[in-house]
Amino acid sequence: MTAELPGGQMAHRPVHFFWLLDCSSSMSINGKIGSLNFAVREAIPEMQRVAKDNASAQLMVRAIMFANGAQWHVQAPTPIEDFHWTDVATSGITDLGAALRLVAEELRTPPMPPRALKPVLALVSDGQPTDDWRSGLRAVDDTPWGRRAVRVAVAIGQDADIAMLQEFLDNPELQPLQANNPKQLADAIRWMSTVAVKAASMPHGGRDTAVLPQPPTSVDDDADDVW
Amino acid sequence: MSDSAWRLLAASAKGPKKKVNQDYHDMHVSSDGAEVFMAVADGHGSAAYPRSDIGSRLAVEAFLEVVTEFWRSCNRDDQLRHVHFRAKEDLPRDVVHNWRSRVRDHLEREPFTGAVPVGPEIYGTTLLGAVVSEWLVLGWQLGDGELCVLHSDGEPVLPLYDSSEPAGDETYSMCSPGARHLMRLYWAPVQAEQPLRLLTLSTDGLSNSFVSMADYLDFVRGIDRRLSDNGADQVAADLPEWLKRASSYSGDDTTFVGAWCNPRLQEGSDVRNSQVR
């Protein structure tokens, strides 16, 4: 029989997942915010399944909503097993920069532990930022974990700022996912919340950015587009 | 080996979700039992490094070949400053050169046709190596992982720990530009004080399984205690299960090698960290 392992406390390494959700007034048009709430809620069991399959990583989820400024919707890092979704509501403008500065504060070490897997930043937006979002992005890039974060983004509807989302991604091999109807949004949210977690949860060395598989492709039928 | 005061420990565990173990290790005692040569390497493992399991093996082989030759040419009567210069400047250059040569040979024998650009990068790996002798202890580190020394005071120390290493799993690599300059040197001439009792090398899959580096150091301290209390054979038998458990926490390949000097067989060969004379 093997003797007990010597040494101090052992623990799985955390993967911190941050939702950055656009809750501006335009998200209330044609049921976008309702579809987003539904999609995030539906993605939780998938995230729990992925977390279970990667037992050596501990998936911790938080959420920020941005409109007039930004605020925590779920502030405490919550294990995905205990994560429940409370609907977000809409109001005001699109202060993405405030959201990025808010998450940047959490990507410093501390409060991030030195011993962690790459965090995930998942941005969802339907419009043009109304504040200085580039300074927010710089604040994220100025943190060691922000630079190395796995980033994914969803553009809701035709008015979304694709160039801004592409700059946020900082990865020429990855484009923002386009969601022009509720089904595409649900698919995109499911993809970004599971594939990105898988990519972040696998320990590997070197200097490459996490490689994400191709996102879902939907049948290009404009007749289904509502946004 | 039977005449040596040094006992060797080595084991490795594949990460729970990994297809192959991308770590590699090797170690041996010199024929006269006076020196130990040891190395571990951690292949990067991600999609951009599809041959990193081979790269880690080539890194260990390159290091052991170069360091054996290096050591053969070192003489106890040499000026230590001269040996230090060669250890700091020549050996990193020669190891990286040897590794790149082995990589080229391997690519010629087995051309790579994959989605990533072909070059040394696809073999990317870290490297940790050491020589333990009765008059000098040397260690080299490129990338992450831990080199830990423990003297007769029983306190483990990480002399090459670098808090400026990249965060997360990113690390410097044998395939990094200017790799020879990224190799850090541990230099410890033997002095007539606290003798070296244990030197260990491990990949980051082990330290990442602990909550903190202090918890990792507790592990090394515990290994030393078990060696003294239960003997090297028992620890060697337990080590594979311990590493398997550690890899279930870190999710990574986990490798540990150690050279332990049985205090009962140690006679006055004292090693501690010191400056160049």
Side-chain angles (χ1 to χ4, degrees), chain B residues 5 134 190 193 195-196 261-270:
Chain B
E134 58 185 6
V190 172
E193 292 179 26
L196 178 72
C261 190
N262 188 336
R264 286 187 284 275
L265 299 177
Q266 193 174 45
E267 292 178 3
S269 65
D270 298 346

Side-chain angles (χ1 to χ4, degrees), chain B residues 152 173 220 240-241 248 263:
Chain B
S152 57
S173 170
V220 178
E241 270 309 309
S248 76

Side-chain angles (χ1 to χ4, degrees), chain A residues 2-13 53 56 115-118 144-145 148 202-208 211, chain B residues 17-18 44 46 49 166-172 208-211 215 218-219 226 238 241-242 246 248-251:
Chain A
T2 304
E4 187 184 343
L5 192 147
Q9 190 182 352
M10 301 182 109
H12 303 300
R13 283 192 290 169
D53 286 347
S56 53
R115 174 190 165 281
L117 293 159
K118 290 176 195 285
W145 289 106
R148 294 173 175 84
M202 205 61 190
H204 56 68
R207 281 205 160 271
D208 64 325
V211 178
Chain B
K17 286 280 176 180
K18 301 276 187 126
H44 299 330
S46 57
Y49 308 96
D169 287 323
E170 293 189 2
T171 182
Y172 297 127
N208 279 332
S209 68
F210 292 97
V211 169
D215 292 306
D218 269 350
F219 172 79
R226 302 278 177 89
D238 289 337
E241 270 309 309
W242 291 342
S248 76
Y249 280 92
S250 66

